[in-house]
Amino acid sequence: MKAAQFSRFGGPEVLEIVELPDPHPGPGQVRVIVHAAGINATEWKLRKGVLSFGAQLPQTTGRDVAGVVDEIGEGVTDVAVGDRVFGVSDDGAGAAELALLTYRAIIPPSLGFVDAAGLPCALETATRSLDQLHITTARTLFINGATGGIGSTAVQLAVARGARVIGAASAANQHYLSLLGAEPVTYGEGMSERVRALAPDGVDAALDVAGSGVLPELIDLAGGAQHVLTLADFEGAAEHGVHFSNGFADGPAYHALAEIGQLIAAGRFWLPVDRTFPLAEIAEAHRAGERGHLRGRLVLITK
């Protein structure tokens, strides 16, 4: 099968399309013919060597997958050959023609493969973050970096829980953010004052998706480091006593995959795809992701 991988750490130019042996599912796994694969920040951090998780070179890439089941492993009863599913590639090899999934769900009927491929990691990460911050009805949440894939997802899931959401984004994304259900503010100098104009007593919790060095401001807005969570600022978290959340250490929230269909069917959730790329242009997809200022997800079309 064709798959994307890199044999050295570096910029997007290290990515290449190679031929690898076809994988086959073990117990509990399914194999899917990949139709689309999402792009996540974790992937370019791994490619750069900023993160490692103990992986050796060469490394495959890609976690989010949507496709059609074509082989099932021992003990699999939740899906069958021919089902449309989305989920997380077990070995981080979703940017390929075939992928193995343990964590998966049936694609909601109203979604195509491209839209479904943008969901898994954003859903898991946003759900885990909201759970850790105890976001429920009558809570006010501030999100720094609210219009990317994870931010857009967190806004809508928090609103669905009954929370009030204030979100920071660029000036160009203010209207988009309001469509998601958040009260928008622009980031940059004076951000805290703009948040306090909407919430004079501060907020109950703050989620940092952007990692833009604002943790001290978020701690002040939320009334303490214990009410702040970051997904992107590992060094700042250690310095300021903020929890840095990741699914490896904290445990993943993959139950979100099977639960999102109800919100989609009710018209209460949508995650736009900002741009699509063919698998052969994965390097350009990584460049677009690193430039930022996205509305939603970047997705590779593999079929």
Side-chain angles (χ1 to χ4, degrees):
M1 68 170 183
K2 288 183 170 60
Q5 74 171 25
F6 53 94
S7 298
R8 67 186 194 280
F9 299 116
E13 69 279 357
V14 305
L15 292 162
E16 55 185 350
I17 306 301
V18 299
E19 287 286 341
L20 295 178
D22 291 354
H24 296 282
Q29 292 180 313
V30 301
R31 189 177 79 174
V32 299
I33 300 170
V34 179
H35 285 240
I39 297 287
N40 295 290
T42 298
E43 285 139 30
W44 61 75
K45 292 176 182 178
L46 288 167
R47 187 207 70 227
K48 288 178 174 181
V50 175
L51 300 176
S52 69
F53 302 130
Q56 303 296 312
L57 293 171
Q59 286 186 36
T60 50
T61 186
R63 299 177 69 204
D64 286 347
V65 169
V68 175
V69 176
D70 80 328
E71 285 188 13
I72 62 173
E74 181 183 351
V76 171
T77 59
D78 59 317
V79 297
V81 170
D83 283 346
R84 298 188 326 137
V85 300
F86 69 125
V88 179
S89 168
D90 286 350
D91 48 4
E97 292 178 321
L98 299 168
L100 301 178
L101 307 180
T102 295
Y103 299 105
R104 71 267 169 171
I106 297 293
I107 296 174
S110 62
L111 293 188
F113 292 113
V114 170
D115 290 322
L119 292 178
C121 286
L123 278 175
E124 186 280 321
T125 304
T127 299
R128 169 171 30 93
S129 302
L130 298 182
D131 288 347
Q132 291 174 324
L133 287 171
H134 308 292
I135 299 304
T136 57
T137 300
R139 300 269 285 173
T140 297
L141 170 68
F142 175 66
I143 300 177
N144 177 51
T147 58
I150 294 172
S152 296
T153 301
V155 167
Q156 294 176 90
L157 295 183
V159 169
R161 294 183 181 203
R164 178 191 183 191
V165 181
I166 301 171
S170 66
N173 280 331
Q174 298 291 289
H175 178 64
Y176 166 73
L177 191 49
S178 66
L179 291 176
L180 297 179
E183 298 170 56
V185 297
T186 53
Y187 54 67
E189 186 176 352
M191 182 181 73
S192 291
E193 288 74 16
R194 291 187 286 276
V195 174
R196 287 194 181 276
L198 297 173
D201 296 328
V203 299
D204 297 306
L207 173 61
D208 173 35
V209 182
S212 50
V214 299
L215 290 183
E217 291 181 71
L218 302 190
I219 291 169
D220 180 65
L221 284 169
Q226 71 273 23
H227 304 304
V228 179
L229 185 147
T230 182
L231 299 170
D233 189 355
F234 181 79
E235 293 182 356
E239 179 180 355
H240 298 291
V242 168
H243 182 64
F244 178 87
S245 180
N246 73 82
F248 296 97
D250 297 340
Y254 288 129
H255 60 87
L257 299 181
E259 296 168 357
I260 195 61
Q262 291 182 336
L263 286 180
I264 292 173
R268 302 182 66 192
F269 182 89
W270 63 290
L271 184 58
V273 172
D274 191 284
R275 292 179 64 186
T276 62
F277 302 81
L279 179 61
E281 295 179 15
I282 186 174
E284 184 55 38
H286 274 226
R287 291 187 185 97
E290 291 182 82
R291 285 194 294 267
H293 303 291
L294 301 171
R295 294 184 181 182
R297 302 308 310 275
L298 300 172
V299 174
L300 301 170
I301 298 176
T302 56
K303 182 77 173 169

